[in-house]
Structures are given as structure tokens and as C-alpha cells.
Amino acid sequence: QNMVMSFRVSDLQMLLGFVGRSKSGLKHELVTRALQLVQFDCSPEVFKKIKELYETRYSKKSSEVAQPPPQQQQQQQQQQQHRAEALPLHSSYDRGSAVARTLPAPNIDYPALYGKYLNGLGRLPPKVAKPEVRLVKLPFYTTLDELLKPTELVPQNNEKLQESPCIFALTPRQVELIRNSRELQPGVKSVQVVLRICYTDTSSPQEDQYPPNIAVKVNHSYCSVPGYYPSNKPGVEPKRPCRPINLTHLMYLSAATNRITVTWGNYGKSYSVGLYLVRQMTSAELLQRLKTIGIKHPELCKALVKEKLRLDPDSEIATTGVRVSLICPLVKMRLSVPCRAETCAHLQCFDAVFYLQMNEKKPTWMCPVCDKPAPYDQLIIDGLLSKILTECEDADEIEYLVDGSWCPIRAEKERSCSPQCPILVLGDIPCPGFHSLLSLPSSPGSSDVNGLLPTPTGNAGENGKAPADVVDLTLDSSSSEEEEEEDEEEDDDEEGPQPKRRCSYEKGLVSAC
């Protein structure tokens, strides 16, 4: 360490260049880097280089002093090394030894610079890294390069409207990535340069958040920024979707520099901006990735069902089964890719296809079943329910049982509306007399009703007997009322009230009602 402190600027630069460290800066900066090198990375090669530079610096001229024998020279070097290692660091500084004499600039506060190192602590304190602002990962954006780390927007004056410029250039590789990328739609490349803005908060990863009165200018043109969603509820302010802002179509895809100016409202809150080279993904690509790495084995899902239906020791009620619908709660259609978040407590699934498509248009990542966060990284495909969907095509609901098995629940057919009394079927009545009536031939003067029953007439039958009165079930209500009125007139002519005679029945016949 004393050897390093006695080095000239050229010696320090040679030492730092030997280990690949920066050689630029003032002498006190070079000394600091060299001391850190000795403290933390002093390998045998580095120590040998220090000795070589030290000997070259203080070697005596051969014309003035004769060189000592090699054995004596080696002993002197060893003694020098022992003295350097045994010398207390604080004493060398306190006594004003070579350390203080080699510090040339009097206006530098060297005690503050070297105090902790030269006060007997033995090593420099580790550099405390300032916490950096981090942005949340977005499923539909894969980061390829970080062009500008999140940097705070600092107001330049007390004005409410501030402007913050940023200048950067793309490398040839980044330009080729953009040019060779496919088009998501006409004029929109999948590889993009995007601007992301968030609150300046280092406690946790931050979501995108726009400052008030935001405007983004790229070179000489303003870039479109997502507007506000109108609110249908009274008293609720419209919301603005804060997404990465695509700047690619307004940039110079060459070695020329690009200038970006962010205009923002200074109303007390602090914001940070970052620039990223990203590849935008589609819902179909995310679905394929989920099918590749996100399928949960049917046996694991079956074990989860058993765990859900297991009797809780603290509960007196045992659950014997749980119903799960095969209809997606999002679109009311049969599930095709049953999916749910790993953090969800329910067994009900939603369709991954429609869920990803909806979040591609309006990212909320909320479970449609329990209304809790269901981010893409926590989605799983239920392997057991996928198997059930292929085996059970005629049911819209199933029930999981305690042992992990399942059974379909089919909807009961609607019962047809029928009268309370049984329907009289003529051909099924076991009455021989009634069958004999059906077999009677109709007389020439009579007319058949529907070709089944003869109407009563005054003509005699084949045996000379008058046919018995027959109940005609085909008569409508109006004809019945006329018969009742005729009966009432006959009763008025007779003496005293007589029971009404509707019709006579042959033995063995029963009433229809």
C-alpha cells in the first residue's frame, strides 16, 4: 500500500491499465482505485506488477551506486515487504509520512477522502447502491434492450408545465431487429422502441402511470398517447389506460440521434421515464406459451380437489361434493382451454383464449370468478378439467366427489303440461259393451260422427230393439247447454221437481270424467 501511495501518475496509470481498470481522472482518483485494487483484488500477478513498478521508480542509477548482490537484494526486498505490511495505516497518516506528502492538491479534503481507509479500519466501506426505480413486467412485451434506465423527471422551474428532453441513438443491431421484425398490423412492427412512465417509487415494481398534461414529441412530430375511457357511472371520473408508448414509427432508423421531449404537468408528484427495445407479443403467442409450460397434471388437480373437499377439523360440516360449471363465465360458452390462477381458491375455471384476448385489448388481469388478481405468470391450465371436457360432451356441469372422482350433472327435461285427470283413450277401456257399440253399423238415415259413433235415431236395430243412449264425447259445450235447457222445460210440465236426466248408460260403461 505504501508502494502504491508513492507512485506517480504514470505508474498508477500503468498499474490500472494492467488490470483493465479506468486510467482517466485526477491523481487522487487514480490512487483511490489503486488502493481498492490492493485491498480487494490483490492477486500474485498484481502484487508482482506493483513491485516491478516500485523497483523501477526507486531503483538507483548503475553509474552512481553499485548494485548489491542478488541474494542481498532479495533480502532487502523481503525486509521492505515486511515493513510495509507491519506499518499501521493510521500512524502513517497521523505522522504526516509519505502518504500526506504525495497528495499534491491542497484544496481537496483528503481526510474526508481517505479517512475511513487510513484510520485503522483496514478496508474501504462498500459502495452503497442507490435504489433504482423498477417497472413491472408486462406479459405482452418482452424486453430486448434497456435504452434508458428509469430517470426522474426533474422540474427546471416553478412552472406547472415542464419539458424534459432526451437524446439517444440506436445501434446497427437494434436497427436490424426493428427492420426485420414482422408486422402486427400495417405500419406497426413487433419490435418497437417504447417509452414507459411511472411514479418515482423504489419500494416495489411500479405500474405504468402517466403524469397530467402529458405529451410526447419524437424528433419533429408529436406521438399519439392513449386517451381516457368514458365512464358510464355518475360521479366516477374517466380512467386512462397507461400503456407503453410506441415511438418506433417516428424515429430515425439509422445512426442519427433521436430527440424525445416529454411534456408533463408539475403538480407535486414525481415521475420517472425509461426507454426500452421490446418485442410485442400477441394473445395467440401467449396462449401457445401457456399450453407449453402452464399445464397442471390431472393427478395434481385431483389431489387439489381432494384437499378442497377434505373435512376441516375445526368444522362440523363435511362437504360431500362441489359443482363446477363447464361454461366460461366470461362469454357463456363451453370451455375450450380451462384456466385459472394458481392463487385462486376456487376450482371453477375460465377460458384462457378469451381471457388473453380481453387483456390484450384492455389489460386488467383480474379473475372473472373471484375478482382477484390473476396475472399471466400465475395462470395454469387445469389438466383434469381438460380431460373431463373431452369425455363429457352432453353435460354443462359436473360434480367433484370427495375421493377426487367426478360425475356429470345433466339438466332435467322440462315436463310437458298435462291435465290433472287421465286422458281417456277409447281403445284401451276394457268395457265389452262399449266395444259392441263401436262395432254397430250405422243406419242409412243416421250420420256418423268422425266415423266412429252412430247418432241415436228412432229406427230399430237388427234385433228389433231400440239402441241404447250413447254419450257422444265429440259434442261441444253449446250442444250440451241446449240439451240442459230442453230437460228443464220438460221438468216444468211434470208434477213436482224431478231429477235431471242427462243420459242413460248401458251396463258396463263408465263416465269419461
Side-chain angles (χ1 to χ4, degrees):
Q1 295 164 355
N2 287 336
M3 295 180 188
V4 171
M5 296 298 295
S6 64
F7 283 171
R8 295 175 299 184
V9 173
S10 59
D11 300 328
L12 293 170
Q13 290 177 342
M14 291 181 64
L15 175 62
L16 295 173
F18 176 75
V19 295
R21 301 289 180 88
S22 175
K23 299 184 293 182
S24 61
L26 300 177
K27 182 176 181 180
H28 72 275
E29 297 175 347
L30 300 178
V31 171
T32 302
R33 293 192 204 119
L35 289 175
Q36 291 177 349
L37 179 66
V38 173
Q39 283 291 320
F40 305 127
D41 300 318
C42 191
S43 61
E45 292 79 9
V46 174
F47 184 75
K48 183 179 179 180
K49 184 66 175 178
I50 293 174
K51 286 178 58 179
E52 179 183 344
L53 293 172
Y54 184 81
E55 291 171 0
T56 304
R57 172 75 177 84
Y58 292 100
S59 62
K60 295 181 179 181
K61 297 180 181 180
S62 58
S63 60
E64 296 179 359
V65 180
Q67 292 290 340
Q71 184 176 4
Q72 184 179 357
Q73 185 178 4
Q74 185 177 3
Q75 291 177 354
Q76 290 177 355
Q77 291 177 357
Q78 291 178 354
Q79 291 174 359
Q80 245 177 1
Q81 180 179 352
H82 290 320
R83 285 197 301 269
E85 292 176 351
L87 185 65
L89 297 177
H90 67 282
S91 61
S92 64
Y93 178 76
D94 293 341
R95 289 196 302 267
S97 60
V99 178
R101 290 196 300 269
T102 55
L103 301 177
N107 58 342
I108 298 177
D109 188 6
Y110 287 108
L113 182 64
Y114 298 112
K116 292 184 179 180
Y117 177 73
L118 299 175
N119 284 337
L121 300 180
R123 57 187 294 139
L124 289 172
K127 185 179 179 181
V128 179
K130 184 180 179 180
E132 296 182 351
V133 176
R134 296 166 296 160
L135 287 115
V136 296
K137 294 182 179 180
L138 300 178
F140 288 100
Y141 294 88
T142 301
T143 303
L144 304 178
D145 283 327
E146 187 178 51
L147 305 178
L148 174 67
K149 290 184 177 181
T151 305
E152 184 176 357
L153 295 174
V154 180
Q156 302 299 319
N157 47 47
N158 295 328
E159 298 293 332
K160 292 301 181 183
L161 204 60
Q162 299 285 330
E163 285 190 356
S164 299
C166 169
I167 299 176
F168 74 99
L170 297 174
T171 64
R173 184 187 68 86
Q174 294 168 347
V175 172
E176 287 301 316
L177 284 175
I178 296 174
R179 286 178 174 172
N180 297 334
S181 63
R182 61 187 179 86
E183 286 191 348
L184 299 175
Q185 52 187 343
V188 180
K189 291 284 190 177
S190 59
V191 177
Q192 307 167 358
V193 175
V194 297
L195 176 73
R196 298 186 65 182
I197 310 177
C198 67
Y199 287 131
T200 305
D201 186 355
T202 59
S203 60
S204 61
Q206 297 296 302
E207 295 182 351
D208 292 64
Q209 184 64 48
Y210 295 161
N213 308 115
I214 182 176
V216 180
K217 188 177 182 180
V218 181
N219 295 321
H220 303 289
S221 304
Y222 280 96
C223 183
S224 61
V225 180
Y228 288 90
Y229 284 143
S231 177
N232 297 327
K233 298 180 180 179
V236 178
E237 295 183 359
K239 293 184 179 180
R240 188 175 206 167
C242 298
R243 302 180 181 178
I245 304 173
N246 184 10
L247 313 178
T248 315
H249 58 290
L250 298 176
M251 294 179 54
Y252 300 135
L253 296 181
S254 62
T257 58
N258 293 275
R259 181 184 180 89
I260 298 174
T261 304
V262 179
T263 305
W264 51 285
N266 179 24
Y267 293 96
K269 292 185 178 180
S270 179
Y271 296 85
S272 294
V273 298
L275 283 173
Y276 302 90
L277 184 71
V278 301
R279 185 185 302 276
Q280 187 173 358
M281 312 292 287
T282 63
S283 59
E285 291 173 326
L286 291 187
L287 178 64
Q288 186 59 41
R289 182 189 298 177
L290 185 62
K291 288 182 178 180
T292 304
I293 63 175
I295 298 180
K296 193 166 186 177
H297 196 274
E299 292 300 324
L300 296 177
C301 298
K302 188 175 182 179
L304 179 63
V305 171
K306 290 181 180 180
E307 182 66 22
K308 293 286 184 184
L309 296 177
R310 185 175 58 87
L311 177 62
D312 188 355
D314 299 333
S315 176
E316 298 179 355
I317 302 176
T319 306
T320 58
V322 58
R323 290 190 174 189
V324 172
S325 175
L326 303 183
I327 303 299
C328 175
L330 284 171
V331 291
K332 308 304 179 184
M333 295 173 60
R334 188 176 175 87
L335 293 169
S336 59
V337 185
C339 168
R340 67 173 177 272
E342 192 76 47
T343 54
C344 288
H346 50 80
L347 297 175
Q348 179 65 51
C349 290
F350 48 85
D351 200 309
V353 178
F354 298 106
Y355 185 70
L356 293 176
Q357 289 177 356
M358 292 177 65
N359 281 281
E360 185 177 19
K361 295 180 180 179
K362 185 180 178 181
T364 58
W365 300 105
M366 300 297 291
C367 175
V369 178
C370 62
D371 202 27
K372 293 182 179 180
Y376 177 78
D377 293 338
Q378 296 178 357
L379 296 181
I380 58 107
I381 295 177
D382 193 319
L384 178 59
L385 200 58
S386 299
K387 185 179 179 182
I388 293 173
L389 285 168
T390 59
E391 297 176 359
C392 181
E393 298 181 353
D394 58 344
D396 293 337
E397 192 175 15
I398 64 162
E399 183 176 10
Y400 286 124
L401 304 179
V402 179
D403 58 354
S405 60
W406 62 276
C407 62
I409 301 176
R410 295 179 175 86
E412 297 181 0
K413 295 182 179 179
E414 296 183 359
R415 297 180 178 179
S416 59
C417 298
S418 59
Q420 297 297 327
C421 58
I423 299 175
L424 176 62
V425 181
L426 298 178
D428 294 340
I429 299 178
C431 298
F434 195 79
H435 283 289
S436 62
L437 288 173
L438 295 177
S439 61
L440 291 174
S442 59
S443 59
S446 65
S447 61
D448 295 340
V449 180
N450 296 334
L452 293 178
L453 298 177
T455 56
T457 60
N459 300 332
E462 295 177 357
N463 299 330
K465 296 181 181 180
D469 294 335
V470 179
V471 179
D472 190 352
L473 301 180
T474 62
L475 294 178
D476 53 10
S477 58
S478 60
S479 60
S480 300
E481 292 175 357
E482 293 175 358
E483 291 179 359
E484 290 179 2
E485 292 176 358
E486 294 175 357
D487 292 341
E488 290 177 358
E489 292 176 358
E490 293 176 358
D491 293 340
D492 293 339
D493 298 337
E494 298 177 359
E495 295 179 358
Q498 297 292 334
K500 294 181 181 180
R501 179 178 175 274
R502 300 290 297 274
C503 59
S504 59
Y505 297 93
E506 186 182 0
K507 289 185 178 181
L509 292 181
V510 294
S511 172
C513 295

